[in-house]
């Protein structure tokens, strides 16, 4: 009966969402406080019932209830418990249920932690959030029921996709969805503000923590997915411009722009319309990603290929949500006051350049992702847009952004002295040039773009540290006084420093692992030697091992340098009999200088056990671990900013609305 209970809980959640989508917003329009406050109880109740449904589905996976079609298709009785739990969101239906759970959790969080938000704005925000819930709950109940029964049940299930049976990927979807869906509450705040007819500095302060939380989660989710692809897929890369990677990257780019734009709205009461538009477009790209992945339009390592009926339903939701919100924006935005004025050389102008570059970069990725789909739909021709296009168009566009990021924190609001800024940065520029010359001397080879990227990464890192040092007057006052000043700095300042420095660190990894990577793909047998990046690698053969629901062919590699054994590597090729598929388990020797990376592929001959011949891929990836260190610094910087007391306390009370700062409410 547990599956039926979960299905019934989803139906009740839909009924609550329907009420929440109407009653609070009517209360805001009529000034009925009780109707407005009903949003809190309704959002919490909706979370409760969706949570019960999710728990019911998880229980079905844990106990291997193969009378549930979803469990039979995505689990197996021999699967380790961790992956039984992770299989709850490993299918189309389960991941959709996780999406709705996070969606309702954000609504309930606003009702609990938004005590300083005016009741009319909170009521409108939670009603808009409920509109989204209605769309996805109805989609799930009508086309993607996670509790559909299967009779007669099989003795064992079909097993989860072996590629998904990994700790990294078990955590990747929840973090990614926290980012995707987290932007839904920012979208709801934006639509509610348009309905109310008021966007001001207080609104921007209320929105910033939710934007930051979503951005942090999306950053962590993308980084974890990239790390998984690096060590699990056996390709020796961390980013492939896969369409499904792109649809998660685009909301991150616009979310980054939104984060900086909201700061200008909060500090200077400017960029109001632009901030609202970014909030709408960021979540719209999250919805677009959902449609592209779940409609069956794309074939990807981690895309869900589903039927056109589901894709059509999501397309309708997409048209209603994006079309409706953009139409509302077109109606309301011209009536908003422009806000604070600023000179072309100012912090506002620097953040505007930041936003424009990020928006243009998002458009480039969007074009490269969707153009092949449109071309095939119109002409029937199939083309592939891959790394060469994105590397040639996206990377040169982002390099000026890195330069502006180093410069921006030195600019003052409203009007800045550019000559004075460059005076403070002259030693940073000199050290950056000396640093890239030293790298050129050590490598003596590589693309010009790689050296330019390294130059800008050093510039950003040193400029960021220099700006932080100036704030605490490091080397200008006694060290104890500098420490006191550092402790008294707002956490958001520390967070900005950490995030900007983290991007610079990640850039070292991006460039090093791309421009100076060494790779060999060879056929090997016992005793074969491979020389790569100063290492002497000996292949000693393969042995067969057994796992809980797979068997593995494990290779043994002896790695020497200057005749001394450095390490042993054990790459595996795992075969899952139930799923009838194989995966690669790479073996990696990691250091800050770089990774020695090995994976084995299918045997080079049909009778591998007799010939002992295998295909060995071995790479040396310089500086690649700086990617994960930089990503961690980005997330940590976001966390420091989110913990800032000013964001926890929230915005001050709004001033009385007057005719010059508002437009009529709905």
């Amino acid at each position: 009966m547990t599956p039926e209970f979960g299905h019934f809980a989803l139906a009740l959640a839909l009924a609550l969402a329907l009420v929440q989508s109407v009653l609070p917003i009517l209360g805001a329009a009529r000034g009925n406080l009780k109707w407005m406050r009903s949003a809190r109880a309704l959002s919490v109740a909706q979370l409760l019932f969706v949570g019960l449904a999710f728990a019911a589905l998880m229980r079905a996976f844990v106990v291997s209830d193969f009378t549930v079609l979803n469990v039979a298709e995505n689990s197996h009785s021999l699967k380790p418990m961790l992956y039984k739990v992770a299989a709850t969101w490993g299918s189309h239906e389960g991941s959709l249920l996780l999406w709705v759970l996070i969606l309702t959790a954000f609504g309930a969080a606003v009702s609990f932690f938004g005590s300083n938000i005016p009741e009319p704005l909170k009521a409108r925000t939670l009603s808009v959030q409920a509109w989204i819930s209605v769309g996805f709950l109805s989609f799930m109940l009508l086309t993607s029921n996670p509790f559909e029964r299967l009779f007669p049940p099989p003795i064992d299930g079909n097993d989860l996709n072996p590629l998904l049976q990994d700790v990294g990927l078990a955590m990747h979807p929840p973090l990614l969805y926290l980012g995707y869906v987290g932007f839904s509450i920012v979208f709801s705040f934006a639509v509610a503000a348009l309905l109310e007819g008021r966007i001001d500095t207080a609104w921007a302060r209320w929105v910033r923590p939710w934007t930051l939380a979503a951005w942090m989660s999306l950053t962590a989710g993308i980084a974890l997915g990239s790390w998984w692809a690096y060590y699990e897929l056996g390709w020796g890369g961390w980013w492939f411009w896969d369409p499904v990677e792109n649809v998660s990257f685009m909301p991150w780019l616009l979310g980054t722009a939104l984060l900086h734009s909201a700061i200008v709205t909060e500090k200077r009461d400017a960029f109001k319309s632009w901030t609202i538009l970014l909030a709408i477009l960021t979540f719209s790209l999250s919805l677009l990603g959902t449609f592209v992945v779940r409609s069956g339009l794309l074939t990807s390592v981690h895309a869900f290929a589903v039927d056109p009926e589901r894709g059509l339903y999501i397309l309708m939701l997409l048209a209603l949500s994006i079309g409706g919100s953009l139409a509302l924006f077109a109606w309301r935005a011209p009536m908003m006051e422009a806000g604070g004025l600023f000179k072309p050389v100012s912090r506002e102008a620097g953040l505007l350049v930041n936003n424009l570059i990020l928006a243009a970069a998002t458009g480039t990725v969007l074009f490269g992702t969707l153009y092949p789909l449109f071309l095939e739909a119109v002409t029937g021709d199939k083309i592939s847009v891959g790394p060469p296009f994105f590397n040639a168009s996206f990377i040169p566009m982002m390099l000026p952004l890195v330069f502006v990021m180093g410069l921006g924190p030195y600019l003052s609001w409203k009007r800045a002295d550019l000559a004075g800024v460059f005076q403070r940065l002259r030693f940073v520029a000199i050290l950056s040039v000396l640093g890239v010359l030293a790298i050129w001397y050590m490598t003596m080879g590589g693309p010009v773009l790689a050296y330019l990227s390294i130059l800008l990464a050093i510039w950003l890192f040193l400029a960021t540290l220099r700006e932080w040092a100036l704030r605490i007057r490091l080397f200008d006052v006694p060290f104890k006084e500098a420490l006191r000043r550092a402790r008294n700095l707002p956490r958001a300042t520390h967070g900005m420093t950490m995030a900007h420095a983290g991007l610079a660190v990640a850039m070292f990894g991006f460039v090093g692992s791309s421009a100076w990577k060494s790779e060999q793909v060879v056929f090997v047998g016992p005793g074969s030697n491979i020389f790569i990046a100063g290492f002497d690698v000996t292949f000693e053969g393969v042995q067969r091992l057994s796992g809980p629901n797979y068997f593995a062919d494990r290779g043994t590699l002896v790695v020497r340098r200057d005749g001394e054994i450095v390490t042993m590597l054990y790459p595996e090729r795992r075969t899952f009999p139930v799923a009838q598929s194989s995966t690669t388990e790479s073996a990696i020797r990691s250091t800050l200088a770089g990774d020695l990376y090995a994976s084995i592929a299918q045997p080079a001959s049909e009778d591998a056990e007799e010939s002992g011949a295998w295909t060995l891929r071995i790479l040396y990836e310089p500086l690649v671990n700086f990617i994960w260190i930089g990503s961690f610094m980005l997330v940590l910087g976001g966390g420091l900013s989110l913990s800032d007391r000013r964001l926890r306390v929230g915005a001050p009370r709004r001033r009385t609305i007057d005719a010059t700062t508002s437009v009529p409410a709905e």
Side-chain angles (χ1 to χ4, degrees), residues 34 51 66 85 130 159 207 251 309 337 370 381 433:
K34 288 185 178 179
F66 297 124
V85 173
D159 211 354
V207 164
E309 179 186 354
E337 187 183 2
L370 296 185
D381 297 333
V433 172

Side-chain angles (χ1 to χ4, degrees), residues 99-117:
W99 175 287
V100 177
L101 177 66
I102 296 172
L103 186 71
T104 55
F106 270 98
V110 168
S111 68
F112 268 112
F113 301 112
S115 58
N116 60 334
I117 302 175

Side-chain angles (χ1 to χ4, degrees), residues 462-483:
L462 294 179
T464 299
L465 294 186
R466 168 72 171 156
E467 193 270 342
W468 182 81
L470 287 172
R471 285 179 181 270
I472 65 172
R473 299 189 65 191
L474 190 63
F475 308 124
D476 293 333
V477 297
F479 186 68
K480 186 177 290 187
E481 171 64 13
L483 282 179

Side-chain angles (χ1 to χ4, degrees), residues 20 49-50 64 86 116 124 145 152 185 190 214 230 264 329 378 398 424 430 510 586 608 628 636 642 650 663:
Q20 184 183 331
F49 284 111
V50 174
S64 296
N116 60 334
R124 290 184 175 96
N145 178 14
I185 202 68
Y230 174 68
V264 182
F329 175 80
V378 174
M398 296 301 289
R424 285 187 287 174
I430 293 170
F510 297 153
S586 303
W628 327 127
L636 180 60
L642 190 60
V663 297

Side-chain angles (χ1 to χ4, degrees), residues 5 19 130 193 270 308 319 328 342 379 425 465 470 533 543 577 583:
F5 174 78
V19 177
L328 179 63
F342 55 89
T379 67
L425 285 170
L465 294 186
L470 287 172
Q543 65 180 114
T583 64

Side-chain angles (χ1 to χ4, degrees), residues 54-357:
F54 189 81
L57 183 61
M58 183 177 290
R59 180 188 179 278
F61 275 97
V62 168
V63 302
S64 296
D65 183 359
F66 297 124
T67 65
V68 178
L69 179 62
N70 191 11
V71 179
E73 290 182 343
N74 298 283
S75 189
H76 192 276
S77 57
L78 296 178
K79 184 187 297 182
M81 182 56 67
L82 171 64
Y83 302 127
K84 286 185 178 181
V85 173
T88 308
W89 56 80
S91 64
H92 165 78
E93 293 81 5
S95 62
L96 194 62
L97 183 54
L98 176 64
W99 175 287
V100 177
L101 177 66
I102 296 172
L103 186 71
T104 55
F106 270 98
V110 168
S111 68
F112 268 112
F113 301 112
S115 58
N116 60 334
I117 302 175
E119 291 293 344
L121 178 62
K122 187 194 297 186
R124 290 184 175 96
T125 299
L126 292 177
S127 282
V128 174
Q129 191 78 355
W131 296 350
I132 304 170
S133 294
V134 168
F136 278 92
L137 282 167
S138 60
F139 170 64
M140 188 159 42
L141 288 168
L142 294 176
T143 71
S144 305
N145 178 14
F147 300 103
E148 184 178 346
R149 288 287 196 175
L150 175 65
F151 292 105
I155 298 175
D156 283 310
N158 293 333
D159 211 354
L160 180 68
N161 182 347
L163 286 174
L164 307 182
Q165 296 184 42
D166 180 84
V167 175
L169 207 66
M171 295 305 300
H172 169 62
L175 286 172
L176 206 61
Y177 286 4
L178 278 169
Y180 272 158
V181 185
F183 285 119
S184 70
I185 202 68
V186 184
F187 170 85
S188 297
F189 267 111
V191 174
L194 289 172
L195 291 171
E196 190 178 67
R198 188 173 191 195
I199 293 94
D200 55 14
T201 57
W203 176 88
R205 175 71 65 84
W206 291 317
V207 164
R208 269 187 66 197
W210 303 102
T211 307
L212 195 53
W215 180 87
M216 282 173 53
S217 299
L218 191 56
T219 302
I222 291 173
L224 191 58
S226 179
W227 179 60
W228 166 82
Y230 174 68
Y231 73 80
E232 176 67 22
L233 295 183
W235 299 344
W238 43 269
W239 190 262
F240 308 100
W241 292 109
D242 178 280
V244 180
E245 291 176 331
N246 293 349
V247 297
S248 65
F249 188 44
M250 289 185 289
W252 185 87
L253 289 169
L254 273 196
T256 305
L258 171 61
L259 199 56
H260 291 83
S261 181
I263 293 173
V264 182
T265 303
E266 178 190 344
K267 302 289 186 184
R268 295 284 300 136
D269 199 28
F271 292 11
K272 296 178 185 178
S273 298
W274 178 242
T275 302
I276 291 288
L277 182 61
L278 283 176
I280 292 172
L281 293 179
T282 301
F283 182 60
S284 297
L285 285 175
S286 297
L287 291 179
L288 179 65
T290 304
F291 165 70
V292 168
V293 173
R294 300 182 187 283
S295 63
L297 285 175
L298 294 177
T299 300
S300 166
V301 166
H302 42 358
F304 293 101
V306 297
D307 58 77
E309 179 186 354
R310 292 173 175 174
L312 182 61
Y313 198 103
I314 295 180
L315 183 60
M316 292 171 57
L317 290 178
L318 199 68
L320 286 173
S321 57
I322 298 178
S325 58
L326 289 178
L328 179 63
F329 175 80
W331 173 38
R332 290 288 198 179
M335 293 181 276
M336 297 178 195
E337 187 183 2
L341 301 177
F342 55 89
K343 294 291 184 180
V345 179
S346 62
R347 182 169 294 192
E348 293 97 324
L351 290 170
L352 179 60
V353 172
N354 162 296
N355 274 223
L356 293 176
I357 293 175

